[in-house]
Amino acid sequence: MICEETISLLERIKTNEIDLAIITNCSGNMTAENFRQERLLWATSNRHSTHSEERLPLALGRPTCAWRRAAIECLETIGRPYRVLYSSGNASAICAAVLSGLAVSVFPESGLRPGMRVLSAADGFPELPSCRIGLVRNPHERSSMADALAEHIISSLDNLSEAARAAE
């Protein structure tokens, strides 16, 4: 099990280092089996007013992260001053910065944690694009074990999409 950014996982698939990759954004050159779509949401601590600072402090993924690019593009579109205070490929570190009131970030719906508050247009935050989540299989080698694991992953992680459709 390797936890890395989509771009790194796709490179590992191309070089035949891994069998499967769960990726987000699904805009690479490889064919992904998209199994879920989630809204990206602005989040802050529900105990702090970090989102009110004139120059918005952000905790975001690395520069290659599509969610980071989406957040920055949205802020630049509306002319909101910001500064990236925390940059990490570790979602737990970004959550910690948000929950402690040090920064605002973006998360998919499933990434929200107790103690976070979603920021909306009413708070002055523009809508973010949706995020697709998909699975990429190694095209160099297929195995029945990897295929079985892939089907299990898809059926296990697709539950949020089913719940969202049922709520509509």
Side-chain angles (χ1 to χ4, degrees):
M1 171 85 83
I2 300 168
C3 184
E4 294 180 345
E5 294 177 304
T6 293
I7 194 166
S8 299
L9 293 173
L10 289 174
E11 187 57 37
R12 287 179 180 264
I13 286 280
K14 285 180 189 174
T15 58
N16 201 20
E17 294 177 51
I18 58 176
D19 296 318
L20 303 168
I22 299 171
I23 63 170
T24 57
N25 205 30
C26 304
S27 61
N29 294 332
M30 304 192 93
T31 302
E33 298 171 54
N34 296 322
F35 57 87
R36 184 161 85 206
Q37 183 165 324
E38 292 186 52
R39 294 181 304 151
L40 283 180
L41 302 167
W42 295 99
T44 189
S45 166
N46 65 9
R47 298 178 312 155
H48 301 89
S49 58
T50 311
H51 62 285
S52 299
E53 292 186 26
E54 187 173 325
R55 191 165 178 219
L56 184 68
L58 296 172
L60 299 170
R62 295 182 183 129
T64 55
C65 175
W67 301 350
R68 175 187 175 125
R69 288 192 306 271
I72 289 172
E73 286 173 11
C74 283
L75 293 173
E76 288 177 348
T77 297
I78 64 168
R80 173 85 187 256
Y82 66 89
R83 56 193 166 142
V84 179
L85 291 182
Y86 302 92
S87 180
S88 176
N90 183 312
S92 294
I94 292 172
C95 281
V98 170
L99 290 170
S100 63
L102 298 173
V104 170
S105 191
V106 295
F107 295 94
E109 292 173 278
S110 63
L112 295 174
R113 300 291 175 255
M116 289 183 181
R117 179 167 83 85
V118 173
L119 298 165
S120 67
D123 300 298
F125 286 81
E127 187 171 332
L128 291 159
S130 292
C131 167
R132 292 181 311 214
I133 301 171
L135 186 120
V136 176
R137 300 173 196 243
N138 182 330
H140 309 290
E141 292 180 31
R142 294 290 292 254
S143 75
S144 58
M145 188 179 335
D147 286 341
L149 178 58
E151 295 311 315
H152 176 72
I153 289 168
I154 290 170
S155 67
S156 297
L157 295 179
D158 190 36
N159 61 357
L160 289 180
S161 294
E162 292 299 322
R165 283 192 287 269
E168 290 177 346

